[in-house]
Amino acid sequence: MKTQKGICITGIDRFELRDDCVLPEPHEIVSTGAIIRPVIWSACTTDAELAHSGCASFPYLLNKASGHEMCGIVETVGSEVTDFAVGDRVIVCATMPNWRSMLAQEGHARQSSDNMYFGIEYPDRGGSFVEHYYIRDADMNLAKIPDNVTWEQAIMVPDMMQTAFAGVQSLDMRYGDSVAVLGIGPVGLMAICAARLQGASRIYAVGGRKVCRDLAGEYGATHVIDYHEGDIVEQILACSGGAKVDTVLCCGGPADQLNNGLKLLKAGGTLASVSVYYGGVPIRIDPESVGFGYSDKTIKFIQCDGGRSCMQRLIALVAEGRVRPEKMITHRFYGMEQIEDAVNLFVRHEPSLIKPVIFNGKEVR
Amino acid sequence: MKTQKGICITGIDRFELRDDCVLPEPHEIVSTGAIIRPVIWSACTTDAELAHSGCASFPYLLNKASGHEMCGIVETVGSEVTDFAVGDRVIVCATMPNWRSMLAQEGHARQSSDNMYFGIEYPDRGGSFVEHYYIRDADMNLAKIPDNVTWEQAIMVPDMMQTAFAGVQSLDMRYGDSVAVLGIGPVGLMAICAARLQGASRIYAVGGRKVCRDLAGEYGATHVIDYHEGDIVEQILACSGGAKVDTVLCCGGPADQLNNGLKLLKAGGTLASVSVYYGGVPIRIDPESVGFGYSDKTIKFIQCDGGRSCMQRLIALVAEGRVRPEKMITHRFYGMEQIEDAVNLFVRHEPSLIKPVIFNGKEVR
Amino acid sequence: MKTQKGICITGIDRFELRDDCVLPEPHEIVSTGAIIRPVIWSACTTDAELAHSGCASFPYLLNKASGHEMCGIVETVGSEVTDFAVGDRVIVCATMPNWRSMLAQEGHARQSSDNMYFGIEYPDRGGSFVEHYYIRDADMNLAKIPDNVTWEQAIMVPDMMQTAFAGVQSLDMRYGDSVAVLGIGPVGLMAICAARLQGASRIYAVGGRKVCRDLAGEYGATHVIDYHEGDIVEQILACSGGAKVDTVLCCGGPADQLNNGLKLLKAGGTLASVSVYYGGVPIRIDPESVGFGYSDKTIKFIQCDGGRSCMQRLIALVAEGRVRPEKMITHRFYGMEQIEDAVNLFVRHEPSLIKPVIFNGKEVR
Amino acid sequence: MKTQKGICITGIDRFELRDDCVLPEPHEIVSTGAIIRPVIWSACTTDAELAHSGCASFPYLLNKASGHEMCGIVETVGSEVTDFAVGDRVIVCATMPNWRSMLAQEGHARQSSDNMYFGIEYPDRGGSFVEHYYIRDADMNLAKIPDNVTWEQAIMVPDMMQTAFAGVQSLDMRYGDSVAVLGIGPVGLMAICAARLQGASRIYAVGGRKVCRDLAGEYGATHVIDYHEGDIVEQILACSGGAKVDTVLCCGGPADQLNNGLKLLKAGGTLASVSVYYGGVPIRIDPESVGFGYSDKTIKFIQCDGGRSCMQRLIALVAEGRVRPEKMITHRFYGMEQIEDAVNLFVRHEPSLIKPVIFNGKEVR
């Protein structure tokens, strides 16, 4: 068995560069598969939270390569791959839908693995923090990067945009609806852009770090709320003259975020959550928040979207200049060994952080 | 101010016949309004639960007429009522949507009162356990009872059918989907009929009382589960060979019903709840039940439907023989003063009870 | 019976100022009604087409006041009007949904009159080209104009924005979808704005007049096509490298517009038409355009939206600066007697025309 | 190249048994593929119409095996097929969605071939009227036949039920809606069953042959109309007291069927067509039928559904006794050489015909 280097979670809050990550041999590559050489990675709160839990919810991830945000260059393609060729610049899907599954037939392709975790197609193999990343269905789960789109723009698509845009799309907004985005890390910030592109009128953005709040305003939030300054429900209702909001998106935050969102939400409205709930703490809903059951409120737990079609449509918005996700990049690193530094920004809650990228070697625009 | 007799909640677990219920004077009746003389009432778990809480969540209901399930005969109509006349046999809407409201314009008519409670259009006036019941918009919130439909059939429409059918409709079932109906009191039983009329294949019905389980089978449940016999999640998964269900409807039951439902639900599936949550106990969701947030599961809290159009469509199904709701009637009472006896069947958890009706005087078919 | 002045269609291509238009007496105003004094009107292709047909499809409109785009100031309110007061600046709904109707209960409020024609609530009374305009349900069919919104902006809401945004909303676009807007008069131009606010990527705009094509580009069309330069299907497919479009909106144009749109549309896609078909010419669909029936294509004939909630949400987008409809105004007139001049711009196909407004007296910003 | 026997369209109205149909060699079978030995076929109006046009719209079908309704026994499976084994009784999908396609990712799997025609995955190879039928993706496009389901029941699933149920599902019916089924050949008859399983109240069925009208009543149509007895629009409106219908399904019939359906349809309603339009005659819509464009009516051209998940859900309804499609079988044949006789029943409009089946050899229940 051939091996390669990769960044692995090896214990609680511990990332490590190991050299025993699986590297499939040429004959193991299925006819629809491909190998991608990473050019740029990003790290994510999820990486940090997974490590913080020591992979408690997903023990099979331990000691395997981590990582689910990567763009790179195709270096090998299987015999049946028709739409990608060696040398193509590509986005690699974070979730790896199995398009040949019953869940895909039923419209839930992104739920098509029982061992689902972002970007980990094979739990026995690992994620994309490796030298050469193997995917099984290139035609379905890669997307080409248009010439006028940079690597720094493209790397924001597979998780940040796909998660945020899936969340906002699930809100079924009408023109002029208001929305509260609770949590404005990079997913929340992309959700602000997504909400503008759904015709939202008022966009309430709730966050803590100044760097995020500033970018929220630049991205089009009409009201930016600092949760340090008091109860967020009260703050938003003060802005709105007491009117509840039409839709809510929860993007991370404390355990009572979802309940707060429901309190803010109009009767008949929809709340979507793209948060992860690793800590083992139950999600609590107060009966009053859902009108004792009478409120016609809807809650959706939304997974990051996946697949080539969706990535193509989102990268088209970037190519047309409708979304500028690269503005979120606050930190740049160089070389696989620096991935750990990138993840640690999340672990230590660096106040200047929105989103880090790591180039595989030297920077390429 | 004129008064009339009515059955009121006057304290914890206490129903009382009072004679100081408001009776609007002729000049107070708005031009779109009508007065209905009750012919048949039904009592509901909600009446019992409200009384049990001493109306804690809705204090303005105390000492006013209660009741929200009633059919009767029109005795007065306002000058602008066009589609109903004195003498018409009518179903009276349980929820009283205000069709001239912004919520109605946005598709949420049944949420159009801040003081919403079934059948209580005016919190200062009360429900339909009275001699003469006043509604403000006859053309919009009454429906005629077809000649071939009995009073006992019709009285099952305003809450039992409208709640159950709204719940099942909200599940967006596809042909051949499976559904778990958790709780098979009268709403759950109507939900079984509703699920068959959406093309469900497997219908798992979970209940406790034998009388309900028997009728569940007769109504078309393919698997009837007794929760006394063990964990309901395990029992259902044993029936299905381990397959989770496509959709879930919660119709009452213990505090962890919703979490159990989510455990049973497939990734990407929808759970609707038509339960009421009066007890003050928070609703709890285990992170695992929603795949740590990644599951694409949807939760909908659904209110009883309302309005004439919906009642007409449901009564048409009864008239065509597609639904036989009258089979649920296990107890019959005669005279307003017996309403309390009917409610007390719920309070003391009478094992032979599914649904009681109370005739206003002697029985009329 | 009191009378007032109004602009009426009195024959083929003939508009006339008459002084025998109905003016309701104070006692005739229903309790939910209001009278509005026009401040600004607009004229519309529909006015011209109606006149051109001599009102053949709607004969009851002949010799009555015409007009359906008007904003003004409330001068009288009925006793039950709660949300509007004398002196309020308001948009008057073009379609006049009857919110107390079965169609409204079924989600089709804007279809709630058999004698539907834009802005003509009472066929026996007429449209809003009058001195004092009476509407029956002020709380439901007026919307306040925010202080920072001008009359010229507001007058674009009741038909231009409500029609275009209803059309685009009905397309159920996903992020990054492409759309072809066939016909870029003022409704088509607003549709371009609406499509951007649904996250469209490529927007193909097809028109003839230079003034419209220029504004289409400014509003965000990515490809502007001149139909004088060849077959529009071929032109668009040339731009897209042969790829069909995800969605199509037909906004006026020749009889074969809808068939052209279907040719352009992807299998599984949706085409909406907000065109009017007065000429008596059948709409033709070639079997090939719908894949001999196998294509899973959808066609929707969409009416202008109506009601206060929708107008409020659209005016909020204008107030937030998301849409700048006033850029479409190319011609300004002063005084009711100039309405005819405004309409005649459409009749004679004035090349510099996009949209005219007529102030009732002198200009007010 | 190996060959086999098959029934081919060889000219206008001409079916022929040829022995030069392609039979893939073992090494040509892809790893996800399988070979099925037919046990039962059915013939379809489409076969007859195709032959009648001499395959004018699909010239590549000429001289190749025809046929798209077949159930059989698996005789070979590729190395990656996981859920089917040699000897399994299976339904073979009529449409052959390519689940690894962009159209599938966008929810339109059944549109995933440019050369789409029922059951013909490879236009260069042909349909299922052959001795051994090869499909490329067994796990995705076969479904097992439950033990308690007969061959005669199963053969009604791949086209009759999948087409009819897809059509009715696309109508988005609410409980108690009315529906007009225009055309009650076997697809229309299955649509009646499908409409009952969506909670339809009134079901108007329009047909000509007595045998079909009788079964329509047995399947649950509430009003059966004979088009020989007068204009169908007038007949239905006479039954309904003038009320238009909520939904319409067109299942074959004359060229003006769709326009008639639109005349019958309520404002805001949906009409779906599962008819095929081979004749070259344009589909005509009168402006009045769509309210001159103002009617908010929707038209959907619906293709037969496809894929294993859908087939499994429909066969489950048969297994549960909810649908009895085998009642439609009026003619039985034995041996491939009798397929032509079966098709000719359609060609000569045999009055006693609903649906024929052909056993491959002797009858098997």
Side-chain angles (χ1 to χ4, degrees), chain A residues 165 168-169 173-177 194-203 220 222 313-314 316-317 320 322, chain C residues 165 168-169 173-177 194-203 220 222 313-314 316-317 320 322:
Chain A
F165 280 64
V168 174
Q169 187 101 56
M173 296 177 76
R174 295 155 307 177
Y175 285 114
D177 268 359
R196 279 184 68 96
L197 289 173
Q198 287 285 286
S201 57
R202 289 186 161 223
I203 302 175
T222 58
R313 288 190 281 104
L314 296 186
L317 290 175
E320 297 281 355
R322 301 283 174 85
Chain C
F165 280 64
V168 174
Q169 187 101 57
M173 296 177 76
R174 293 154 308 175
Y175 286 114
D177 269 358
R196 278 183 68 96
L197 290 173
Q198 288 285 286
S201 58
R202 288 184 163 226
I203 302 176
T222 57
R313 288 189 282 104
L314 296 186
L317 290 175
E320 298 280 354
R322 301 283 174 85

Side-chain angles (χ1 to χ4, degrees), chain B residues 175 194 197-200 313 322, chain D residues 175 194 197-200 313 322:
Chain B
Y175 285 114
L197 290 172
Q198 288 285 286
R313 288 189 282 104
R322 302 281 175 84
Chain D
Y175 285 114
L197 289 173
Q198 288 285 287
R313 288 190 281 104
R322 302 283 175 83

Side-chain angles (χ1 to χ4, degrees), chain A residues 203-221:
Chain A
I203 302 175
Y204 302 98
V206 176
R209 272 175 290 160
K210 185 172 181 310
V211 63
C212 292
R213 286 186 282 116
D214 288 350
L215 190 52
E218 193 178 335
Y219 274 163

Side-chain angles (χ1 to χ4, degrees), chain C residues 319-337:
Chain C
E320 298 280 354
R322 301 283 174 85
V323 186
R324 301 192 179 282
E326 71 280 10
K327 289 189 180 181
M328 301 195 299
I329 300 175
T330 50
H331 293 73
R332 288 170 180 79
F333 297 90
Y334 303 92
M336 183 188 288
E337 60 286 352

Side-chain angles (χ1 to χ4, degrees), chain B residues 314-335:
Chain B
L314 296 186
I315 201 78
L317 290 175
V318 176
E320 297 280 356
R322 302 281 175 84
V323 186
R324 301 193 179 282
E326 71 280 10
K327 290 189 179 180
M328 301 196 298
I329 301 176
T330 50
H331 293 74
R332 289 169 178 79
F333 297 90
Y334 304 91

